[in-house]
Amino acid sequence: MRRPGPVGTPVVLADGRRLSGAMLRRLFVGQCLVLGLHLAWMPAWFVGLAVAVAGYRYRQLRRDLPRASLGLRLAAVGGLVLALWAEYGGLGEMAALIGLLLGVYLLKLLETHDRRDARVVVVIGLVALCVAFLHDQGVPVALAALVVLAWQVQSLAWLSGARDRRQAWGETAWMLVLSAPLMAALFLVFPRLPPLWNMPEMTRASTGLSDTIAPGDIAELSRSDARAFRVTFRGEVPPPGERYWRVYTLSHFDGVRWQRVTPPQLSATLGLPVSRFVREGRFSAWGEVTSRPRYRYELLLEPDSRPWRPSLGTPRRAASPQRFLADGTLEGREALRSRGLLRLSSSGAPPTYQDPAGPGWHSLLPAGSNPRSRALARRLWGQSDGDPDRYLQAVLARFGEAPYRYTLSPPRLDGQDRVDDFLFGTRAGYCTHYASATAVMARMAGIPARIVAGFLGGERHPDGHLTIRDYDAHAWVEVWRRGAWRRLDPTAAIAPERIERGAAAVAEGREAFLADAPFSPLRLRGIDWANRLRLSWERLEYEWQRGVIGYQGEARDRLVARLLGALEESVSALIALGPWRMMGLAALGLLGVWGGWVGLAGVCRWRPWAPNQPRRLRALQAWLARRGHPGLPGESPAHHLRRLAPRAGPAGPALLAAAAELEGLLYAPLPAGERRRRRRILARRLREIRRRWPRRGWRREARRGIVTE
């Protein structure tokens, strides 16, 4: 006989089809949990949609409203599509598609009336749970997803006939534990599926940099603490003043902005083949190919809509095929749609080879632009006696004098001659102001020059890895001197503290630093315990991204190769033992497997936390039957125990107590707390029966006077 659940326990209604209000509440809670995983990246009005649907179903359950008609449901879907279209300007982006999935998931509750509909809701919730990893794959999302998964699985357990919360959650825990080994095996050896995780995504650039900059642009990045990439060095680590991470090179100046020119554009402009400007492979095809790189490191890159790959100086070698550009920058074959690992080697210095575009390309300036700067360049050139090195030193020395100042909040420049406006007007700026002015002044003297945009510095963590953020963005100049490109950073002349200690050390305009991140934990770096806590969390998150999320490709191949190598060595060792020893080891192995299986089965059958009393009683009755005392046909378990009690000697009281507890659990309307207490008592009585049972059988015990027939 199937026992009813406790009074007040939410269950599926008796007909097995219609859902109770408690089950609908459980589905709604599951929807809220799934929505919580997405809410940081989705519109807040989804909360209102969820509440509206739940309110309608609640009123309907109380018979105040009719069932949602087909017209109402179609109108709701149509309104959802229009709202998403207005939010994203279409349905082609990933965020809009995820929003459509979530909206349909929430609206499904309007037509959920039986078990089949409820199972569909749970399955859609599981799909939406997986989709949440398209937003982020960090530790908080993974832990939250585990909680949501447990809730959805226990909802399925209720829909499959669970009688109470303990049984539902027990089955959930058991299924999750059983699936964990399979999940781990698939994770370790099964290849990733790129189409799922590389969906067309946003046009966001995680570096915060663009391929065109004007004075003041990079200053905006000092307001953000967004992470650009992280790096772990294998060997020598450069000092802070030498951590120049180049992202791309800007060689065209139109009088206002510096722009990057792509290899196809250079090919069309200069009449040279594209292969002169870009080569694909694992090694750079320019400069001293056989030269040994100075730095070796592993980059953990944030998602980026563009294919740029930062490198410490000139890239030389990569672990996977990349696009090496002649201007000293590096590109991937495609944009990163999720975090990715890249092992790279580089020189740490500017390129030592000439750009195929030639010196003339890097000396071009718009005719007639910035006349006051041209006059200054002629005067400084004359004072330097036509020596390029002395001329460049004079330009930098001018920046080191008052009233020039380095600030995180530079005044805005709107004119057409912005170099003039900066040099003779505001005289206050950020790295792009000084880099642009230096490069223009170099070109005015006929010295080939270009701007490199990237990052400088990075926060070093106690475990050795570096974190580079948006506020580390930097721009500097490269000039062609004596057969090689030479780095020229005017920021070192005006604000040396920026070079050594980062943007946070700049005093001028400090209020702009992290202005867009008011709740950033970086603001607590002055509090020792809070900073240690932040660093510990970032280290955990870094190891998670690097070891778990970044586990793919070569790491999987190396693991499989090691496993196959270990298996081959084991087989060779067994063959060397000879046939008889092999048979003996095989027999011992089978015996160990059988013993482990028996022990596991015993633990599963008699585990004290198991909520299934009928299973325990069946196991006890089978144990009694093996000792010659089976139950009679049609006899209840309680009657069986009472029938044996008068003849069981010391085990008799335990048999009677167990029968009483069993009947109370099966038929009495007990509160949840009392039911849990009775279960624990029953478990103790069942163990006591086995412990006190006569050891030598009925007949031998009867002769000793213990059992009375």
Side-chain angles (χ1 to χ4, degrees):
M1 179 178 178
R2 180 176 175 181
R3 65 179 177 83
V7 175
T9 301
V11 294
V12 178
L13 293 187
D15 59 3
R17 299 290 295 173
R18 295 175 59 239
L19 299 177
S20 67
M23 192 67 230
L24 289 172
R25 286 196 299 271
R26 182 168 286 103
L27 296 177
F28 174 66
V29 171
Q31 288 184 331
C32 292
L33 292 175
V34 172
L35 184 60
L37 291 176
H38 294 267
L39 204 54
W41 298 272
M42 301 303 295
W45 51 262
F46 271 98
V47 176
L49 177 62
V51 173
V53 171
Y56 189 93
R57 288 294 284 116
Y58 174 74
R59 293 288 302 275
Q60 180 191 356
L61 194 66
R62 298 190 61 180
R63 305 183 185 277
D64 293 336
L65 293 176
R67 281 195 177 189
S69 63
L70 179 61
L72 176 61
R73 285 175 280 165
L74 291 177
V77 174
L80 171 67
V81 172
L82 291 177
L84 291 172
W85 193 286
E87 182 77 28
Y88 298 105
L91 297 178
E93 294 188 1
M94 183 187 71
L97 295 175
I98 295 176
L100 184 61
L101 172 65
L102 290 177
V104 171
Y105 174 49
L106 297 174
L107 292 175
K108 180 64 180 176
L109 200 63
L110 288 175
E111 58 176 10
T112 301
H113 300 285
D114 56 24
R115 286 192 184 189
R116 176 187 173 278
D117 294 336
R119 290 191 180 101
V120 171
V121 171
V122 174
V123 171
I124 298 177
L126 292 174
V127 174
L129 166 63
C130 296
V131 171
F133 289 105
L134 291 174
H135 299 302
D136 184 65
Q137 300 172 24
V139 177
V141 174
L143 294 176
L146 184 61
V147 174
V148 178
L149 175 63
W151 184 270
Q152 299 288 47
V153 173
Q154 68 91 26
S155 297
L156 288 177
W158 278 105
L159 292 170
S160 299
R163 289 183 292 274
D164 52 32
R165 290 186 180 87
R166 187 169 184 179
Q167 183 180 4
W169 283 108
E171 294 296 332
T172 298
W174 190 239
M175 284 188 284
L176 293 179
V177 169
L178 287 179
S179 62
L182 177 61
M183 178 189 67
L186 291 176
F187 173 80
L188 291 174
V189 302
F190 199 76
R192 300 289 179 90
L193 302 175
L196 177 62
W197 302 110
N198 289 342
M199 291 178 60
E201 206 170 330
M202 66 291 175
T203 57
R204 167 184 173 270
S206 70
T207 61
L209 299 171
S210 64
D211 52 5
T212 65
I213 63 172
D217 285 355
I218 290 183
E220 295 297 320
L221 297 181
S222 66
R223 305 170 64 90
S224 169
D225 68 341
R227 191 164 43 221
F229 60 93
R230 285 166 284 189
V231 58
T232 298
F233 283 89
R234 300 181 177 181
E236 183 182 0
V237 179
E242 296 182 12
R243 298 172 189 164
Y244 283 87
W245 302 94
R246 64 187 305 135
V247 176
Y248 43 75
T249 303
L250 311 172
S251 58
H252 177 66
F253 182 64
D254 62 4
V256 176
R257 306 187 70 85
W258 287 87
Q259 301 176 8
R260 174 187 178 267
V261 185
T262 64
Q265 291 172 336
L266 285 172
S267 175
T269 303
L270 302 177
L272 298 174
V274 177
S275 59
R276 292 285 302 275
F277 302 98
V278 59
R279 303 283 177 83
E280 189 170 317
R282 300 188 180 204
F283 302 92
S284 174
W286 286 278
E288 300 177 5
V289 180
T290 58
S291 62
R292 186 175 182 180
R294 182 179 178 184
Y295 298 110
R296 293 176 174 82
Y297 45 90
E298 181 183 72
L299 297 167
L300 177 58
L301 302 167
E302 295 296 310
D304 199 311
S305 61
R306 298 166 302 178
W308 315 130
R309 305 292 188 264
S311 63
L312 190 64
T314 307
R316 305 302 305 163
R317 303 173 188 171
S320 57
Q322 306 291 327
R323 290 163 52 89
F324 291 84
L325 275 61
D327 61 8
T329 56
L330 187 68
E331 288 185 2
R333 287 179 164 180
E334 59 184 11
L336 283 174
R337 303 303 180 186
S338 60
R339 290 185 179 94
L341 289 171
L342 174 63
R343 290 200 301 275
L344 196 62
S345 301
S346 61
S347 66
T352 57
Y353 51 86
Q354 186 174 5
D355 194 312
W361 174 261
H362 295 95
S363 301
L364 293 175
L365 284 174
S369 64
N370 299 293
R372 300 177 67 183
S373 299
R374 290 180 184 273
L376 175 63
R378 287 192 296 269
R379 186 171 70 253
L380 293 178
W381 182 260
Q383 295 173 356
S384 303
D385 298 326
D387 185 338
D389 292 332
R390 290 176 58 189
Y391 171 78
L392 294 174
Q393 291 175 2
V395 172
L396 296 182
R398 181 180 178 86
F399 293 147
E401 300 173 354
Y404 289 99
R405 54 194 176 89
Y406 193 87
T407 175
L408 298 179
S409 301
R412 187 175 182 84
L413 301 175
D414 297 321
Q416 291 299 314
D417 297 326
R418 298 190 182 184
V419 176
D420 280 359
D421 295 340
F422 166 65
L423 290 177
F424 301 98
T426 63
R427 298 182 182 182
Y430 198 54
C431 60
T432 44
H433 295 78
Y434 291 95
S436 177
T438 302
V440 169
M441 294 287 288
R443 288 191 176 190
M444 286 177 175
I447 303 172
R450 61 191 186 186
I451 287 183
V452 180
F455 299 88
L456 172 62
E459 181 184 28
R460 186 164 186 177
H461 292 255
D463 63 344
H465 84 272
L466 300 177
T467 298
I468 291 83
R469 304 179 186 273
D470 274 359
Y471 59 70
D472 292 313
H474 192 58
W476 60 94
V477 181
E478 287 181 349
V479 295
W480 181 255
R481 295 293 300 134
R482 300 184 183 87
W485 290 100
R486 172 189 168 194
R487 181 187 299 134
L488 204 65
D489 192 351
T491 301
I494 185 66
E497 68 276 8
R498 165 66 183 93
I499 305 298
E500 296 295 331
R501 292 183 288 157
V506 179
E508 181 76 23
R510 183 182 296 274
E511 68 279 356
F513 185 69
L514 298 181
D516 293 340
F519 302 106
S520 172
L522 292 168
R523 293 180 175 274
L524 303 177
R525 284 184 296 185
I527 303 176
D528 185 59
W529 67 267
N531 193 52
R532 288 200 307 269
L533 185 62
R534 176 185 67 86
L535 293 175
S536 299
W537 171 256
E538 290 187 358
R539 178 182 179 182
L540 172 64
E541 204 270 341
Y542 173 63
E543 294 297 336
W544 168 267
Q545 295 290 342
R546 184 184 175 195
V548 178
I549 305 303
Y551 176 82
Q552 55 187 341
E554 296 182 11
R556 184 185 64 252
D557 295 341
R558 289 195 300 269
L559 176 63
V560 172
R562 287 199 299 268
L563 293 177
L564 292 177
L567 179 61
E568 183 178 356
E569 292 178 0
S570 300
V571 172
S572 301
L574 288 175
I575 293 176
L577 291 176
W580 293 107
R581 291 183 179 178
M582 286 179 59
M583 293 177 61
L585 288 176
L588 289 176
L590 291 175
L591 183 62
V593 170
W594 178 80
W597 177 261
V598 171
L600 179 61
V603 170
C604 294
R605 184 181 298 116
W606 289 102
R607 65 188 189 277
W609 59 86
N612 197 338
Q613 279 76 30
R615 182 186 301 172
R616 294 178 178 177
L617 291 170
R618 286 194 298 270
L620 178 63
Q621 288 181 298
W623 186 81
L624 293 171
R626 289 194 297 271
R627 283 152 180 77
H629 304 285
L632 300 177
E635 187 178 34
S636 68
H639 188 272
H640 183 203
L641 298 181
R642 284 197 176 94
R643 181 171 58 84
L644 297 180
R647 302 176 292 153
L655 286 167
L656 293 175
E661 295 295 339
L662 175 61
E663 289 178 338
L665 282 169
L666 288 176
Y667 307 114
L670 302 173
E674 178 65 17
R675 184 171 294 276
R676 287 192 295 269
R677 190 183 70 83
R678 291 288 190 91
R679 284 171 179 162
R680 291 194 293 269
I681 294 175
L682 177 59
R684 289 198 298 269
R685 297 306 183 196
L686 295 180
R687 291 194 297 270
E688 185 180 353
I689 292 171
R690 289 175 175 251
R691 188 172 62 252
R692 294 180 176 274
W693 191 260
R695 300 289 182 181
R696 302 183 181 182
W698 289 96
R699 295 179 181 176
R700 187 172 300 177
E701 298 297 341
R703 287 196 298 268
R704 296 177 58 186
I706 297 179
V707 178
T708 304
E709 295 289 345

